[in-house]
């Protein structure tokens, strides 16, 4: 019987990361879609760094920041008696940083593709920025929101390097499914490695299939009313 | 009454265009902002709505200062109480026809005005229809009705009929004129269609090279007032010899007319055609 705990931990991590990223990315993407200039470009590049950096590099820097001798880790340990390194909370923060572009970019491009007149029309009807965002802009970029949510979930499920660097391999705490596969292979337990890998493969496949299916449905609704 | 004086350097297709306009619009009037493409018509409308920040000047609507460069006042579009009809309609695709109008309701405003506008614009039967399923003319009616829901102090129409064909245009012009008579909202209509402006507007503001060239009643502005009948402006399409003189083929508005003349007129020349009497 295989140990299912790594999967529950993975689902918990992916769900939490997705919710946090959704809350962070909507205002950030909205800001990025409206601004121009050097500062915007710098913010966009920083948000996109996880796309090009090796996960081990991000993990290394997060490890330095989270460690009790680092500025963030030291501050949290002194004032809040909290340690992020090798903890689930640390994994969530690492995942949020690592998956940031997978949520921000689809939402940003979705918002940028809407005609500016939609926002202006809402303003001319006396609606605030918040009302315009929630009632007009976001409902009209549902496919982009869905892409962001699904890609973030899938990316967090498949995350390995960052998790290993800052979380290690503590059962029930930081041993997520991708680490469990690696651990099983290391200890030559190919039976369990196979089972874990197959479940991960199937989960990722179903998530991507669902994304394409829902996007297809949304397109049809959009075209045929 | 709406008073505005605006300055702004615009980036046009032919380089920078310094815009400097000053106008007074009487309450309840339908005013046409007429000029060639790139004359700054839409920019003026966008500055009045608050979508574009002027570089200087002021906008005063019914005694309220919406913008003042010297006093550093800039009232955002949400607080200006304007109605804006966009060239691309800007209807919300996630809402049906009725929901588009309901969204425009202000706090404490009853839905009765929505029903009234739907009836006046002939959209009662399309209330539940999605925006994507409407024709261009129907979308135009929804955009106009939506802009009027909040009973705006100033209605701004940015070439509202440019995307519909001639047959539909006449019907929509009728709706526009009817709504204006009924609600008496001070309205600015941007158009480069001389017929439309002449038919609908009380006053025309003629824009040229970033400034107001003239302002007055459409009859005076377009057809002159020389006391000896009317003058139409036309473009020579060609000239043929006929008898002792020539006959020029001239495009006047959408019509092509043949006019006897004494000389061979060059193709493309703008000429004035005099009318002695109307029949």
């Amino acid at each position: 019987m295989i140990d299912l705990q790594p999967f529950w931990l993975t689902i918990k991590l992916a769900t939490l990361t997705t919710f946090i990223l959704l809350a962070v990315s909507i205002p950030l993407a909205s800001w990025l879609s409206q601004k121009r200039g050097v500062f915007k470009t710098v913010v966009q590049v920083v948000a996109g760094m996880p796309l090009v950096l090796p996960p081990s590099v991000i993990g290394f820097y997060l490890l330095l920041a989270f460690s009790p001798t680092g500025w963030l880790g030291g501050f949290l340990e002194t004032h809040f008696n909290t340690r992020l390194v090798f903890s689930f909370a640390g994994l969530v923060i690492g995942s949020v940083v690592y998956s940031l572009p997978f949520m921000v970019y689809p939402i940003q491009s979705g918002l940028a593709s809407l005609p500016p007149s939609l926002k202006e029309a809402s303003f001319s009807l006396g609606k605030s920025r918040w009302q315009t965002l929630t009632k007009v802009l976001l409902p009209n970029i549902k496919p982009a929101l869905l892409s962001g949510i699904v890609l973030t979930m899938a990316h967090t499920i498949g995350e390995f390097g960052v998790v290993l660097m800052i979380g290690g391999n503590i059962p029930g705490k930081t041993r997520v499914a991708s680490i469990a596969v690696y651990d099983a292979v290391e200890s030559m337990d190919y039976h369990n490695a196979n089972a874990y890998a197959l479940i991960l493969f199937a989960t990722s496949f179903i998530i991507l299939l669902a994304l394409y299916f829902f996007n297809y449905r949304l397109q049809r609704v959009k075209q045929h009313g | 009454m709406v008073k505005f004086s605006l300055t702004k350097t615009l980036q046009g297709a032919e380089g920078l265009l310094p815009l400097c306009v000053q106008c007074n619009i009487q309450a309840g009037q339908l005013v046409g902002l007429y000029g060639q493409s790139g004359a700054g018509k839409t920019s003026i409308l966008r500055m009045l709505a608050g979508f574009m920040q002027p570089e200087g000047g002021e906008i005063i609507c019914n005694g309220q200062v919406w913008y003042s460069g010297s006093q550093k006042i800039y009232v955002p579009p949400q607080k200006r109480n304007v109605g804006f009809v966009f060239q691309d309609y800007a209807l919300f695709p996630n809402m049906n026809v009725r929901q588009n109008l309901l969204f425009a309701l202000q706090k404490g405003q009853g839905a009765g005005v929505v029903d009234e506008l739907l009836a006046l614009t002939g959209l009662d039967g399309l209330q539940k229809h999605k925006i994507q399923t409407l024709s261009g003319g129907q979308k135009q009616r929804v955009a106009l009705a939506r802009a009027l829901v909040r009973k705006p102090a100033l209605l701004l129409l940015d070439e509202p009929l440019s995307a519909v064909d001639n047959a539909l245009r006449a019907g929509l012009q009728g709706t526009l004129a009817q709504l204006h008579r009924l609600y008496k909202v001070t309205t600015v209509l941007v158009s480069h269609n001389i017929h439309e402006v002449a038919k609908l507007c009380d006053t025309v503001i003629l824009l040229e090279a970033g400034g107001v060239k003239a302002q007055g009643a459409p009859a005076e502005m377009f057809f002159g007032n020389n006391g000896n009948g009317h003058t139409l402006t036309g473009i020579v399409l060609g000239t043929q010899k006929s008898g002792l003189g020539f006959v020029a083929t001239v495009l006047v508005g959408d019509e092509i007319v043949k006019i006897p003349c004494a000389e061979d007129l060059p193709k493309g020349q703008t000429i004035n055609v005099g009318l002695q009497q109307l029949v």
Side-chain angles (χ1 to χ4, degrees):
Chain A
M1 184 69 189
I2 60 163
D3 177 15
L4 288 176
Q5 201 175 38
F7 288 103
W8 294 125
L9 206 60
T10 302
I11 290 168
K12 202 168 123 188
L13 178 66
T15 312
L16 258 173
T17 303
T18 305
F19 272 110
I20 293 171
L21 269 181
L22 201 57
V24 170
S25 301
I26 288 172
L28 180 60
S30 170
W31 183 82
L32 285 171
S33 69
Q34 292 170 49
K35 297 287 170 191
R36 279 187 199 152
V38 179
F39 184 60
K40 175 236 164 135
T41 311
V42 171
V43 173
Q44 195 162 7
V45 168
V46 170
M49 284 304 273
L51 283 176
V52 288
L53 274 181
S56 52
V57 173
I58 297 171
F60 174 66
Y61 282 127
L62 286 173
L63 192 61
L64 285 184
F66 291 172
S67 83
T69 52
W71 63 272
L72 181 64
F75 174 80
L76 288 172
E77 188 135 336
T78 316
H79 294 87
F80 298 95
N81 199 23
T82 305
R83 186 174 281 196
L84 289 176
V85 74
F86 302 120
S87 73
F88 184 72
L91 275 197
V92 172
I93 296 175
S95 300
V96 165
V97 172
Y98 186 47
S99 292
L100 185 68
F102 290 87
M103 187 67 96
V104 170
Y105 283 180
I107 299 177
Q108 186 192 342
S109 66
L111 287 172
S113 70
L114 292 177
S117 59
L118 278 191
K119 188 171 75 178
E120 291 172 347
S122 176
F123 285 173
S124 78
L125 298 172
K127 305 302 168 192
S128 65
R129 286 182 179 276
W130 175 250
Q131 286 170 310
T132 303
L133 183 71
T134 54
K135 302 267 174 63
V136 176
L137 304 181
L138 294 181
N140 284 308
I141 58 157
K142 275 185 199 155
L145 285 171
L146 195 66
S147 291
I149 290 170
V150 171
L151 287 175
T152 302
M153 281 204 103
H155 194 238
T156 309
I157 290 170
E159 182 180 328
F160 178 77
V162 174
V163 176
L164 194 63
M165 291 290 276
I166 59 173
N169 182 15
I170 306 167
K173 211 169 163 192
T174 62
R175 184 193 280 177
V176 292
S178 57
I179 302 283
V181 175
Y182 177 75
D183 192 50
V185 173
E186 281 281 277
S187 44
M188 309 251 262
D189 181 1
Y190 291 123
H191 173 73
N192 267 342
N194 240 324
Y196 285 141
L198 189 65
I199 295 174
L200 271 184
F201 182 88
T203 313
S204 305
F205 180 79
I206 290 166
I207 287 177
L208 273 184
L209 194 67
L211 169 70
Y212 282 107
F213 178 71
F214 279 117
N215 263 343
Y216 175 71
R217 284 277 307 268
L218 279 171
Q219 286 299 329
R220 273 181 67 93
V221 170
K222 211 173 162 185
Q223 278 164 15
H224 303 290
Chain B
M1 169 128 167
V2 181
K3 280 167 62 178
F4 63 88
S5 61
L6 299 165
T7 55
K8 175 93 180 168
T9 307
L10 302 174
Q11 181 71 54
E14 290 162 16
L16 295 176
L17 172 75
L19 185 76
C20 182
V21 290
Q22 193 167 3
C23 283
N24 288 348
I25 299 171
Q26 296 301 318
Q29 275 206 327
L30 202 164
V31 174
L33 212 51
Y34 178 80
Q36 296 304 309
S37 292
K41 306 184 293 290
T42 297
S43 298
I44 292 173
L45 222 56
R46 292 178 59 76
M47 283 189 268
L48 289 174
F51 302 147
M52 185 190 267
Q53 183 128 15
E55 281 156 10
E58 60 176 15
I59 303 168
I60 300 169
C61 179
N62 299 336
Q64 283 185 313
V65 180
W66 283 356
Y67 170 76
S68 170
S70 57
Q71 295 176 61
K72 301 213 179 309
I73 297 174
Y74 183 78
V75 176
Q78 292 96 325
K79 303 251 167 79
R80 290 195 184 194
N81 194 15
V82 292
F84 202 109
V85 175
F86 294 82
Q87 260 185 70
D88 66 353
Y89 318 118
L91 299 174
F92 308 132
N94 58 314
M95 304 177 194
N96 63 26
V97 170
R98 187 178 175 79
Q99 286 165 339
N100 261 276
L101 269 68
L102 286 174
F103 183 73
L105 285 174
Q106 305 301 294
K107 263 189 187 159
Q109 204 182 1
V113 65
V114 170
D115 294 319
E116 183 183 301
L117 280 162
L118 285 169
L120 280 169
T121 47
L123 293 166
D124 328 49
L126 300 170
Q127 293 194 39
K128 303 279 181 206
H129 281 230
K130 279 271 178 198
I131 297 304
Q132 300 87 321
T133 62
L134 301 182
S135 69
Q138 289 165 339
K139 284 181 183 170
Q140 195 54 66
R141 285 172 200 271
V142 180
L144 191 58
R146 189 183 65 179
L148 284 167
V149 167
R150 70 183 300 203
K151 302 273 168 71
L154 181 62
L155 178 64
L156 304 166
L157 311 171
D158 188 8
E159 308 222 18
L161 310 177
S162 61
V164 292
D165 59 39
N166 283 339
L168 265 177
R169 186 173 291 157
L172 287 167
Q173 284 171 349
T175 308
L176 190 58
Q178 185 201 3
L179 289 170
H180 184 251
R181 270 197 305 276
L182 207 64
Y183 290 103
K184 296 186 175 56
V185 178
T186 311
T187 306
V188 182
L189 165 75
V190 159
S191 179
H192 60 252
N193 184 323
I194 198 164
H195 302 280
E196 196 165 284
V197 173
K199 190 173 169 184
L200 293 170
C201 300
D202 304 309
T203 306
V204 183
I205 297 168
L206 193 60
L207 282 181
E208 203 172 276
V212 176
K213 192 186 173 198
Q215 181 173 354
E220 287 171 36
M221 301 287 293
F222 296 130
F223 310 117
N225 199 2
N226 54 20
N228 294 322
H230 299 278
T231 307
L232 303 176
T233 304
I235 296 165
V236 177
L237 299 177
T239 314
Q240 283 177 315
K241 198 153 176 33
S242 172
L244 294 173
F246 295 88
V247 171
T249 308
V250 183
L251 176 70
V252 182
D254 292 336
E255 303 290 330
I256 294 172
V257 292
K258 292 206 181 280
I259 295 163
C261 52
E263 55 185 307
D264 188 3
L265 298 169
K267 191 179 172 187
Q269 187 182 341
T270 304
I271 59 163
N272 290 324
V273 181
L275 292 178
Q276 291 304 312
Q277 61 178 44
L278 298 172
V279 287

